[in-house]
Amino acid sequence: REWSYPEWGLFHTCACVCVCVFPQVHVKMADEAVCVGPAPTSKSYLNMDAIMDAIRQTGAQAVHPGYGFLSENKEFARRLAAEGVTFIGPDTHAIQAMGDKIESKLIAKAARVNTIPGFDGVVKDAEEAVKIARELGYPVMIKASAGGGGKGMRIAWSDDETREGFRFSSQEAASSFGDDRLLIEKYIDNPRHIEIQVLADKHGNALWLNERECSIQRRNQKVVEEAPSTFLDPATRRAMGEQAVSLAKAVQYSSAGTVEFLVDSKKNFYFLEMNTRLQVEHPITECITGLDLVQQMIRIAKGYKLQHKQEDIPINGWAIESRVYAEDPYKSFGLPSIGRLSQYEEPVRLSGVRVDSGIQEGSDISIYYDPMISKLVAYGASRADALKKMEAALDNYVIRGVTHNIPLLREIIVHPRFVAGDISTNFLPEVYPDGFKGHPLSAGDRRELLAAAAALHIAAQLRSQRFLGEQRSVGHWELCLELEKSVHMLAVSHSRGTYTVEVDGEKVEVSGEWNLASALLPLSINGSHKVLQCLTRSPAGDISLQYLGTTFKVRVLSVLAASLSKHMPEKLPEDTSSILRSPMPGTVVGVAVKPGDTVAVGQEICVIEAMKMQNSMTAAKTAKVKSVHCKTGETVGEGDLLVELE
Amino acid sequence: MIGCKRSRLLHNSRWYSISHLSVQDRIEEKRRAALVGGGQKRIDAQHKRGKLTARERIDLLMDPESFVEYDMFVEHRCADFGMEADHNKYPGDSVVTGQGRINGRLAYVFSQDFTVFGGSLSGAHAQKICKIMDQAMMVGAPVIGLNDSGGARIQEGVESLAGYADIFLRNVMASGVVPQISLIMGPCAGGAVYSPALTDFTFMVKDTSYLFITGPDVVKSVTNEDVTQEELGGARTHTAVSGVAHRAFENDVDALLNLRNFFNFLPLSNKDPAPVTECHDPSDRLVPGLDTLVPFESTKAYDMLDIIHGIVDERDFFEIMPNYAKNIVVGFARMNGRTVGIVGNQPKVASGCLDINSSVKGARFVRFCDAFNIPIITFVDVPGFLPGTAQEYGGIIRHGAKLLFAFAEATVPKITVITRKAYGGAYDVMSSKHLRGDVNYAWPSAEVAVMGAKGAVQIIFRGKENQAEAEAEYVETFANPFPAAVRGFVDDIIQPSTTRKRICRDLEVLASKKQTNPWKKHANIPL
């Protein structure tokens, strides 16, 4: 799954060991593929025995661990070394030193790297935590020593919050990592997350390959990244780069690595952690530096010296990466979704666009892995150019069968604050305090969308009257369209592929090829090029159109059908307060109630785990439990009934 | 409306005179009366129930200004119980009939008018329906019935019953000659239910339509069962439980717009070829997703609809009976613009086995396609017939035989794709080569065998040791497409992604297929 790297097959120095569960893109690209076990990662990609077997079986000389899974596992690196197989990555020593948050901070301090003021030792109890917090000054961050990915992390603004945070974090740390050691540090409010890519060889040479700005995050996971950062000046960049290199040298680092910093509004930067592996977002660094990081890692692993000097490392142009996830952006900026990619087309024919993915049409997005579909990278001469290319790439990306986050990505990259470079790790909650709601339609957008929907409807109507070449033509239609609960009367006329649509007193000209089988709908709307996507089109006039990233539902009816529709009975929506449905696919890890129990508003009813995330389902009203439809350990789909209340 | 235009013509002609004027006035007055049916109050009541009037329904179903009405002046002939009084006579009586166009293609329609005597069926009402049915058969065009009727016109007694029988007879005579579609848009009870039951397709409107032999009151008095109208004969009951209706729609508007779409799939008569529409989907399009669809483990399910949607034009599949006997999927789609009927076992439900309900569902669909020159594409993944007393006592033998019979007698182009399991008698049934399948393909994942490996080994090597080894040997020998391919029982083993391309090409070749069955009065399908 990690192998999404197109150039991989070119390196003949290593046999290609590819671990697989079922046919995917990386299996096709590899010369040889070995199955390492069934879908749960603990039985396959995290199963060291199986992977060691695969290595022996294929006679592999070197292993590139990708990112995630065993890429930062010192035990894996040790076992490879014991078998005489090269681990394409740093030494066990560096992995271990940087893997521990407390130890890494001590090393960083010794190497004169700026660190966040805080307590480096292990915090004994809640009272000690409060004492340290008072010394540092609020706010403070309490986090697990062994942690990562936001687990076991709490922010405290007062003594009480510190005590509570200490308790929660140590519990969470114990259950997630089997290690309840905590540390406390000053919390940098509204920071940016900027990281430096380093490259070091086994001969004591090290380089910094500029920065990546990764501030757009949700739940401490990156969503949009760019290189370079709009925020850094050359002096700060150099200072950060030099500190990163000095840290790498301090741990005798070799291979590619990333030093993450938090940067405050005054351009003070603090060491956060070092990732001893290739990062997901490495392509943007490759774009602006022209270096192939995986190739460099292989060279270094082979024992070669670095090819470049620091002054050889350029910043050419601008690169932006969007992480395309199979998740619903309307639910807390992204809850995982699963499904089969019934249609899938990457926008790779556009210039300046790179898509790294391991899936194809027909692939399943399952609950077993991270829900990432692909990394979509746009590269341009300037930031504005790159953003424009990203817009086009997102509009031309066809994903059907799973819910995806393109609506959110498309909104972020055109948001004035993002365009101005005014971002921080709090960007999403600040910009969308009530959650993401999709693209807000301006009056002009609305006209365009309605005109496109009307034209599409008529194009389909006209075609359905063409049997065996016979054609009857009418040239003028009156339509009634409903969009976001408002109703519009439209007049449409047609000649030679161009529809003139009168919307709210204004004329909109829509022309295109009108290929009704294609997922993409490239249109010219009043002379400007727009790519829409038609997701569904029902005989009863319901059309779903993806426009500016967001999917809108439009109902198109003839004036007659619309006028008769007012007599149709209103269907009562299901009363959702007395039923609890799974908001996403996952596994039931606990059911706290049984039929007959009385639950209060907000009381936990059950817990669903999906993609390693636990979600507590609570009661929407105080009532008696009527029936329970799920069991612990059961897998449930999105919308499955879990519990009914009376 | 043609009628109106003619009256204006008369008006302007030179034979204009005083005596004509009064006739003219009467014509106009009758027409006006006919257009409002049972009057504004009843129309309002109809709307309040969430239902459209008979004429509104026709307007929505037919192309604008294409409807030509017949028998607007027909009135009922009942002289008992005060029915002869003028205020009890409604021009056109309780049904609107005529012909018109749907996307330019001819269709005959009758629409029962609930605002006139609750849409009850009088002798005159029946006569109007029979008239358009007779003409539809003569010219070769489908008949669409929009049913909304309280039942027989009780005041007319046996006259009304005779009317029903006249319609039934025509339903039977028209069966297999022109497509007949019923859309139930209100009550349809008692003897009246047998007309929709005789037609090819019965659709219903959710929450506002009911079909039953006897209503809840009679049920209560006879069997002492408490049941609501909806539970007894609503859209959910008939689309999911009884299998009487083929599909249900949200409301009148939704149903009529969907019916227009459905009509596009149908040929006008048994002399018409399957219609071909303009198609934007390339016929040689590869479907890469299909190469990875069938799971390695033969016990793991997948969704047959993924195959169907991937292969047909524009993922447009009109499923028939989507909520009934879900272990078989049937419906209409297009391949390179040409209508085809699709039959597929659904591994996702009951492993895709054949049981009583799925056999009957499949058989009726196959016979419709065969009657109306629609090629049949069959996707096979069937582990066999469902065992057990429930099925045996229910007569799985004679019901299963229906599907066998239907596939065997069909002379339209038949293309079969074995996607995975084709076990036992069910292999034979599912449009196999032996039943005159024209082109039979196997995917590399196909297993054509008498039964699954485990069962087979238990019989062949009964009491012997090394069952596991024998099972592996059996899998090696039979759990692949070769045994069938070497015997020519499948014509080719194809890469799943090329399936669309292959089928489109075959359909072009088979378009000129001619095959006849021996002369007979009619066959004797095991009913």
Side-chain angles (χ1 to χ4, degrees):
Chain A
R1 189 176 162 86
E2 304 115 286
W3 302 108
S4 50
Y5 204 75
E7 280 111 304
W8 182 248
L10 301 175
F11 299 101
H12 301 290
T13 46
C14 346
C16 201
V17 178
C18 222
V19 291
C20 82
V21 182
F22 43 78
Q24 292 288 23
V25 176
H26 57 280
V27 176
K28 276 195 196 164
M29 282 182 168
D31 299 322
E32 197 178 340
V34 179
C35 181
V36 293
T41 50
S42 58
K43 291 183 182 159
S44 52
Y45 294 109
L46 289 175
N47 181 349
M48 258 184 249
D49 291 332
I51 291 177
M52 293 309 295
D53 280 346
I55 289 164
R56 274 177 226 121
Q57 197 184 323
T58 53
Q61 297 151 295
V63 171
H64 192 301
Y67 25 78
F69 299 128
L70 299 175
S71 62
E72 289 178 293
N73 188 306
K74 55 178 193 281
E75 170 65 10
F76 183 57
R78 194 194 57 74
R79 283 180 68 171
L80 287 175
E83 303 238 351
V85 177
T86 309
F87 177 76
I88 304 176
D91 294 341
T92 323
H93 160 73
I95 297 176
Q96 178 162 10
M98 293 294 108
D100 187 295
K101 286 219 160 90
I102 295 173
E103 199 186 334
S104 69
K105 215 171 154 184
L106 292 172
I107 295 172
K109 232 174 179 172
R112 296 175 174 278
V113 175
N114 300 355
T115 53
I116 299 173
F119 180 68
D120 301 328
V122 176
V123 186
K124 280 203 294 288
D125 55 31
E127 288 320 308
E128 194 189 353
V130 170
K131 204 176 119 241
I132 298 165
R134 283 187 186 157
E135 278 167 20
L136 292 172
Y138 286 107
V140 296
M141 163 104 79
I142 302 162
K143 55 184 184 182
S145 173
K151 286 245 172 63
M153 220 191 255
R154 285 287 186 293
I155 296 154
W157 299 78
S158 68
D159 290 358
D160 283 349
E161 282 180 26
T162 309
R163 286 188 195 97
E164 198 186 334
F166 181 87
R167 211 178 64 240
F168 275 122
S169 290
S170 58
Q171 279 169 7
E172 221 170 282
S175 69
S176 301
F177 315 110
D179 176 354
D180 64 355
R181 286 180 304 147
L182 296 180
L183 55 90
I184 296 184
E185 60 191 24
K186 185 155 176 62
Y187 173 62
I188 313 289
D189 196 14
N190 233 10
R192 285 169 177 258
H193 177 121
I194 299 177
E195 59 192 28
I196 301 285
Q197 175 74 53
V198 294
L199 205 55
D201 64 18
K202 292 180 175 171
H203 307 276
N205 305 309
L207 290 172
W208 47 275
L209 306 183
N210 302 315
E211 78 280 11
R212 290 187 290 259
E213 162 85 70
C214 312
S215 295
I216 307 289
Q217 307 185 344
R218 52 116 182 77
R219 296 193 302 270
N220 289 310
Q221 283 187 311
K222 297 160 190 167
V223 183
V224 176
E225 298 110 336
E226 62 183 309
S229 164
T230 54
F231 192 57
L232 295 194
D233 50 56
T236 316
R237 177 174 298 127
R238 168 172 293 272
M240 288 172 76
E242 281 169 356
Q243 288 197 6
V245 162
S246 105
L247 177 63
K249 285 183 174 166
V251 287
Q252 287 107 50
Y253 196 85
S254 71
S255 193
T258 298
V259 181
E260 297 190 339
F261 291 98
L262 285 184
V263 183
D264 71 13
S265 53
K266 296 177 195 72
K267 296 205 173 91
N268 295 314
F269 56 91
Y270 305 98
F271 168 71
L272 195 60
E273 61 180 4
M274 180 170 189
N275 292 315
T276 57
R277 55 173 161 85
L278 192 67
Q279 297 272 97
V280 169
E281 60 274 23
H282 74 275
I284 53 176
T285 297
E286 297 188 331
C287 285
I288 61 160
T289 59
L291 259 68
D292 182 329
L293 286 176
V294 176
Q295 186 200 12
Q296 296 299 325
M297 287 174 83
I298 294 167
R299 286 190 79 254
I300 293 166
K302 201 63 174 122
Y304 293 124
K305 283 189 180 173
L306 290 179
Q307 282 171 306
H308 305 86
K309 295 204 169 57
Q310 189 61 52
E311 57 269 27
D312 299 337
I313 306 302
I315 298 184
N316 288 330
W318 213 282
I320 297 170
E321 175 179 281
S322 293
R323 295 195 187 186
V324 181
Y325 281 109
E327 54 181 29
D328 184 348
Y330 298 97
K331 294 179 188 163
S332 40
F333 301 117
L335 280 193
S337 104
I338 56 163
R340 186 172 179 275
L341 288 169
S342 54
Q343 271 180 294
Y344 184 73
E345 283 170 40
E346 292 173 350
V348 282
R349 64 197 162 77
L350 301 178
S351 79
V353 172
R354 163 174 169 181
V355 187
D356 286 16
S357 71
I359 44 117
Q360 59 190 341
E361 191 167 301
S363 292
D364 268 312
I365 305 288
S366 74
I367 57 170
Y368 301 112
Y369 304 109
D370 186 89
M372 196 196 285
I373 295 174
S374 77
K375 303 185 283 180
L376 179 63
V377 180
Y379 174 56
S382 64
R383 188 166 187 261
D385 184 27
L387 282 173
K388 229 175 143 162
K389 283 175 174 158
M390 180 58 82
E391 267 180 51
L394 289 167
D395 285 341
N396 282 279
Y397 206 143
V398 178
I399 304 170
R400 302 279 191 281
V402 293
T403 312
H404 54 77
N405 68 337
I406 283 180
L408 176 63
L409 296 171
R410 183 70 171 70
E411 276 306 287
I412 292 172
I413 60 151
V414 296
H415 194 278
R417 270 190 61 185
F418 182 83
V419 173
D422 172 20
I423 54 176
S424 77
T425 52
N426 296 326
F427 179 84
L428 289 178
E430 275 173 22
V431 170
Y432 308 106
D434 306 321
F436 178 64
K437 302 263 189 284
H439 175 75
L441 288 173
S442 68
D445 290 345
R446 179 172 284 273
R447 273 196 298 277
E448 282 193 357
L449 177 59
L450 289 168
L456 176 65
H457 180 78
I458 296 297
Q461 292 276 304
L462 282 175
R463 187 182 66 161
S464 70
Q465 293 168 12
R466 287 199 280 271
F467 286 92
L468 286 169
E470 176 193 4
Q471 185 179 353
R472 278 153 226 275
S473 63
V474 192
H476 187 80
W477 298 266
E478 302 273 338
L479 295 176
C480 177
L481 276 75
E482 197 181 316
L483 168 64
E484 292 180 335
K485 290 189 179 139
S486 68
V487 175
H488 303 257
M489 306 300 278
L490 275 69
V492 186
S493 56
H494 171 240
S495 87
R496 273 184 271 150
T498 298
Y499 294 86
T500 306
V501 187
E502 208 178 307
V503 195
D504 303 335
E506 293 205 31
K507 283 210 162 99
V508 182
E509 290 221 326
V510 187
S511 58
E513 278 181 36
W514 303 110
N515 181 329
L516 299 171
S518 162
L520 293 172
L521 206 59
L523 298 178
S524 161
I525 305 180
N526 277 344
S528 78
H529 181 70
K530 293 273 159 77
V531 178
L532 280 75
Q533 297 190 24
C534 176
L535 281 82
T536 56
R537 191 160 46 79
S538 88
D542 291 309
I543 298 178
S544 299
L545 280 178
Q546 184 181 315
Y547 172 69
L548 303 176
T550 299
T551 300
F552 294 94
K553 289 196 162 89
V554 189
R555 182 145 219 239
V556 189
L557 289 174
S558 66
V559 169
L560 173 71
S563 73
L564 293 176
S565 284
K566 68 173 185 279
H567 300 303
M568 294 300 100
E570 202 149 313
K571 308 264 161 159
L572 290 174
E574 206 175 24
D575 176 14
T576 48
S577 68
S578 54
I579 49 170
L580 191 67
R581 292 181 183 281
S582 175
M584 66 199 153
T587 314
V588 181
V589 293
V591 183
V593 297
K594 55 184 190 303
D597 287 359
T598 303
V599 290
V601 183
Q603 187 179 332
E604 182 175 286
I605 289 183
C606 62
V607 179
I608 307 284
E609 186 181 282
M611 278 113 173
K612 298 171 198 155
M613 228 178 64
Q614 296 207 344
N615 293 272
S616 170
M617 307 280 110
T618 55
K621 64 174 186 187
T622 302
K624 222 176 205 175
V625 176
K626 190 174 164 196
S627 52
V628 176
H629 299 270
C630 59
K631 283 200 295 273
T632 304
E634 213 172 48
T635 45
V636 290
E638 181 177 339
D640 280 5
L641 186 60
L642 300 172
V643 170
E644 264 182 288
L645 303 178
E646 272 174 6
Chain B
M1 250 170 274
I2 299 276
C4 295
K5 278 186 195 141
R6 238 178 69 208
S7 73
R8 235 172 274 128
L9 210 80
L10 262 177
H11 207 185
N12 296 334
S13 67
R14 38 196 172 102
W15 298 295
Y16 181 87
S17 73
I18 295 294
S19 64
H20 281 108
L21 190 67
S22 73
V23 170
Q24 194 57 46
D25 281 349
R26 281 170 63 198
I27 294 170
E28 296 291 338
E29 196 194 307
K30 289 271 184 202
R31 282 197 195 283
R32 263 199 304 277
L35 291 178
V36 295
Q40 195 56 44
K41 236 167 90 187
R42 293 211 178 94
I43 291 176
D44 292 344
Q46 178 84 347
H47 285 160
K48 224 165 163 183
R49 283 187 208 103
K51 300 184 343 184
L52 298 180
T53 67
R55 285 175 193 282
E56 287 167 343
R57 286 166 176 167
I58 288 176
D59 284 349
L60 213 47
L61 176 65
M62 296 290 186
D63 292 347
E65 289 165 44
S66 74
F67 181 62
V68 180
E69 185 169 344
Y70 293 176
D71 291 337
M72 208 187 217
F73 297 104
V74 165
E75 289 172 359
H76 75 77
R77 299 175 292 268
C78 181
D80 301 314
F81 312 109
M83 288 292 280
E84 68 278 21
D86 266 359
H87 68 268
N88 272 338
K89 299 240 167 147
Y90 295 85
D93 205 18
S94 50
V95 66
V96 181
T97 60
Q99 43 93 347
R101 305 259 163 189
I102 297 178
N103 285 315
R105 298 162 77 231
L106 182 63
Y108 283 79
V109 65
F110 69 85
S111 177
Q112 294 179 318
D113 188 348
F114 197 77
T115 66
V116 178
F117 298 116
S120 62
L121 188 124
S122 63
H125 178 137
Q127 184 197 324
K128 281 180 73 173
I129 293 176
C130 291
K131 189 192 263 183
I132 61 147
M133 290 183 75
D134 290 340
Q135 202 178 79
M137 277 174 72
M138 262 186 320
V139 304
V143 179
I144 298 172
L146 307 178
N147 297 62
D148 189 1
S149 160
R153 182 81 52 88
I154 298 167
Q155 295 91 331
E156 289 195 11
V158 71
E159 173 103 30
S160 173
L161 296 184
Y164 276 125
D166 290 342
I167 297 170
F168 296 158
L169 176 68
R170 278 161 183 83
N171 283 138
V172 173
M173 289 299 112
S175 183
V177 179
V178 293
Q180 301 179 78
I181 306 162
S182 302
L183 176 55
I184 316 299
M185 310 188 82
C188 183
V193 297
Y194 284 108
S195 177
L198 291 167
T199 61
D200 298 301
F201 295 101
T202 302
F203 299 121
M204 293 181 79
V205 179
K206 286 181 193 168
D207 304 326
T208 48
S209 74
Y210 309 99
L211 267 168
F212 34 64
I213 299 282
T214 49
D217 297 343
V218 180
V219 170
K220 174 79 182 162
S221 68
V222 175
T223 68
N224 206 26
E225 277 176 286
D226 272 312
V227 65
T228 63
Q229 276 202 113
E230 184 62 35
E231 284 166 354
L232 186 62
R236 217 202 71 80
T237 301
H238 286 312
T239 53
V241 183
S242 73
V244 165
H246 295 86
R247 231 173 125 153
F249 300 103
E250 288 308 313
N251 56 46
D252 280 14
V253 173
D254 186 53
L256 292 160
L257 294 177
N258 271 289
L259 190 51
R260 280 177 65 83
N261 171 54
F262 175 67
F263 189 82
N264 279 354
F265 286 102
L266 305 180
L268 297 183
S269 76
N270 61 353
K271 295 203 178 72
D272 241 27
V276 182
T277 59
E278 185 180 298
C279 173
H280 295 170
D281 203 353
S283 65
D284 59 355
R285 173 172 57 87
L286 295 179
V287 194
L290 297 186
D291 286 338
T292 54
L293 182 69
V294 177
F296 286 145
E297 305 92 323
S298 70
T299 48
K300 236 177 122 184
Y302 60 93
D303 192 349
M304 186 54 83
L305 284 169
D306 284 338
I307 297 184
I308 296 170
H309 286 141
I311 283 174
V312 302
D313 289 356
E314 298 176 18
R315 311 182 66 79
D316 184 11
F317 178 56
F318 189 97
E319 192 172 348
I320 298 291
M321 300 175 113
N323 294 321
Y324 179 78
K326 293 195 219 172
N327 41 348
I328 199 163
V329 177
V330 301
F332 297 103
R334 295 189 181 87
M335 296 293 282
N336 204 11
R338 187 190 314 267
T339 298
V340 294
I342 305 234
V343 180
N345 308 112
Q346 173 59 286
K348 228 175 73 168
V349 181
S351 304
C353 72
L354 288 175
D355 57 8
I356 293 170
N357 291 345
S358 62
S359 300
V360 174
K361 171 179 166 181
R364 182 147 176 83
F365 181 74
V366 167
R367 279 170 63 91
F368 176 83
C369 292
D370 186 44
F372 292 101
N373 315 314
I374 298 171
I376 301 164
I377 298 168
T378 310
F379 294 101
V380 185
D381 187 349
V382 62
F385 283 98
L386 183 64
T389 49
Q391 289 291 312
E392 294 291 1
Y393 295 174
I396 179 69
I397 296 175
R398 67 193 166 87
H399 294 297
K402 290 175 187 173
L403 185 57
L404 172 59
F405 198 108
F407 270 124
E409 75 173 338
T411 55
V412 289
K414 289 188 283 192
I415 299 173
T416 307
V417 182
I418 301 174
T419 60
R420 191 166 62 181
K421 290 172 216 159
Y423 287 170
Y427 152 71
D428 286 338
V429 170
M430 294 303 294
S431 197
S432 63
K433 197 81 198 162
H434 324 288
L435 302 184
R436 303 190 293 184
D438 296 301
V439 183
N440 292 57
Y441 291 123
W443 282 6
S445 47
E447 312 167 14
V448 185
V450 175
M451 57 176 77
K454 202 165 195 156
V457 167
Q458 277 169 5
I459 294 168
I460 304 175
F461 302 100
R462 195 186 297 269
K464 299 241 174 76
E465 280 171 33
N466 295 338
Q467 295 266 323
E469 204 176 293
E471 197 179 315
E473 192 190 331
Y474 190 91
V475 166
E476 183 70 25
T477 317
F478 289 110
N480 60 58
F482 294 114
V486 295
R487 290 166 178 82
F489 297 161
V490 296
D491 300 294
D492 200 355
I493 303 170
I494 61 169
Q495 196 58 27
S497 53
T498 64
T499 309
R500 170 177 168 83
K501 188 171 137 180
R502 299 291 291 252
I503 294 177
C504 284
R505 211 154 62 183
D506 295 330
L507 284 170
E508 218 142 283
V509 171
L510 292 169
S512 56
K513 175 185 175 183
K514 294 233 157 35
Q515 188 172 43
T516 47
N517 291 332
W519 185 90
K520 51 185 106 177
K521 187 171 174 199
H522 63 70
N524 189 14
I525 187 164
L527 293 173

